Amino acid sequence: MNQQQIHDFFALNHTRPKKQLGQNFLVNPEALKIILEAGELSDADTVIEIGAGLGCLTDVVTQHAKHVIAIEVDELLHNVLVSQFLTNPRVQLLNADILKLELNSLLLDGPGTVPTTFKVIANLPYSITTPILWKLLGHHKQIHSCVLMMQKEVAERIVAGPGGKDYGALTIGVDYYAEATLIATLSPENFYPAPKVDSALLKLTMREKPKVAVEDEELFFKVVRTAFRTRRKMLKNALVRGRFTPDEVLATAFEELGIAPQRRAETLDITEFADLANFLYRH
Ligand code: SAH
């Protein structure tokens, strides 16, 4: 649909695109092409689309995949999708909230046959990008890759290197499970209504094994989150505040690992975080 058609659709239904659901529809066919190419789909792939909206992306994805599961929380839009794809056996439509959806049953059962992995494609509702990302990372074993449109600043945080203000728990969480590539940045005019922020398309390719060997993932993420919670503090103070380890163990860890306790969280790379967490796990 182009801008006019989207406008008319909502006018006809006496409503407007819902800001709180991040309804900014893609109106530039070039953008659809970029997403599709980044997906590197084959006709063996099962794709999960999050926030299918009015189906423009669903439509092109369907032409290049074996099966598409299109998830849309808004009932009005879901109904549009139903009439649009009613006769297409390759499309499965779910009127559901991605954050509440039990992904396991979907991923484990698969549609009919059992696919080994899924590809995720989405022009995300921007305000819930982070929880969606953590949810997808939690299913890293069943997902091959994700091509995700998000707010540019969030994408920049994900691909950031150590040392800057963008680098944080999200950077490390994603890097642990996936290889992140910034595919393109897109200006607001690619969408209708135009969002107030710039957008970026990011590809996450899940790693076969996490990037670093971690003995206790829960503890690893706890160390990372605690360290970044007070990211401007010295590491020793930040972690002591987390109170999950005695001070003297922490002091020994810094010494044995050669990590200066005066350093701040944002200067540690993922390997150093893993070393720290593994040390604390063993002591
Ligand atoms: N794919 C479409 C629409 C993208 S806008 C396009 O590119 O044009 C984001 C879409 O996500 C909207 O349709 C919105 O209704 C939907 N959405 C918002 N929150 C959601 C949630 N929690 N679960 C599933 N879909 C959601």
Side-chain angles (χ1 to χ4, degrees):
M1 277 195 213
N2 61 31
Q3 188 159 327
Q4 188 63 48
Q5 289 165 320
I6 295 173
H7 174 273
D8 293 348
F9 164 80
F10 282 100
L12 208 67
N13 284 280
H14 309 290
T15 181
R16 292 162 194 271
K18 298 183 185 66
K19 268 207 189 87
Q20 70 277 20
L21 290 181
Q23 292 180 354
N24 302 98
F25 304 95
L26 276 162
V27 287
N28 181 0
E30 283 305 311
L32 293 176
K33 230 165 92 184
I34 295 172
I35 299 176
L36 193 65
E37 275 169 19
E40 297 181 278
L41 301 178
S42 85
D43 51 16
D45 286 327
T46 294
V47 175
I48 294 181
E49 189 193 357
I50 302 166
L54 291 161
C56 63
L57 189 53
T58 323
D59 191 39
V60 291
V61 166
T62 306
Q63 294 169 33
H64 295 86
K66 181 168 143 220
H67 195 92
V68 180
I69 303 169
I71 303 164
E72 173 54 57
V73 74
D74 186 334
E75 198 179 354
L76 174 67
L77 303 187
H78 171 75
N79 290 337
V80 173
L81 294 165
V82 169
S83 53
Q84 192 178 346
F85 295 105
L86 195 62
T87 55
N88 192 332
R90 291 199 279 183
V91 183
Q92 179 186 349
L93 301 165
L94 295 180
N95 184 198
D97 179 340
I98 180 64
L99 293 179
K100 294 188 186 141
L101 192 66
E102 185 39 84
L103 268 187
N104 251 339
S105 54
L106 201 67
L107 296 172
L108 293 179
D109 297 348
T113 59
V114 185
T116 45
T117 53
F118 290 75
K119 290 183 179 173
V120 176
I121 289 194
N123 171 21
L124 291 173
Y126 291 0
S127 64
I128 52 171
T129 298
T130 309
I132 292 177
L133 277 170
W134 284 113
K135 181 157 187 169
L136 294 174
L137 293 173
H139 292 276
H140 60 100
K141 287 201 181 105
Q142 298 114 294
I143 295 173
H144 170 272
S145 55
C146 308
V147 173
L148 306 171
M149 186 78 73
M150 60 186 71
Q151 182 175 341
K152 191 174 146 218
E153 284 74 13
V154 179
E156 284 170 349
R157 278 165 52 202
I158 292 170
V159 299
K165 65 168 173 44
D166 285 341
Y167 183 69
L170 186 63
T171 319
I172 292 180
V174 171
D175 193 28
Y176 181 70
Y177 291 114
E179 201 173 318
T181 317
L182 190 63
I183 305 282
T185 56
L186 287 94
S187 60
E189 309 85 72
N190 287 286
F191 307 82
Y192 176 82
K196 291 208 169 61
V197 295
D198 282 330
S199 302
L201 188 69
L202 197 74
K203 180 164 185 174
L204 304 181
T205 306
M206 298 298 182
R207 302 181 190 280
E208 291 205 358
K209 273 195 313 198
K211 185 166 184 181
V212 288
V214 161
E215 282 165 53
D216 181 336
E217 287 189 355
E218 204 177 311
L219 179 63
F220 170 69
F221 282 112
K222 194 167 172 185
V223 169
V224 171
R225 284 208 191 88
T226 309
F228 281 107
R229 199 164 294 138
T230 49
R231 57 185 297 142
R232 300 170 51 112
K233 277 202 169 25
M234 287 190 267
L235 210 52
K236 61 170 185 189
N237 295 336
L239 291 179
V240 160
R241 278 168 60 108
R243 283 205 206 94
F244 50 81
T245 183
D247 295 9
E248 49 296 354
V249 176
L250 205 54
T252 324
F254 288 137
E255 197 178 320
E256 290 205 8
L257 298 172
I259 298 173
Q262 290 80 12
R263 286 172 64 186
R264 294 184 295 175
E266 62 194 33
T267 70
L268 262 67
D269 65 25
I270 190 169
T271 309
E272 292 175 306
F273 274 115
D275 289 346
L276 198 53
N278 288 339
F279 187 96
L280 298 181
Y281 177 72
R282 289 188 216 123
H283 294 78

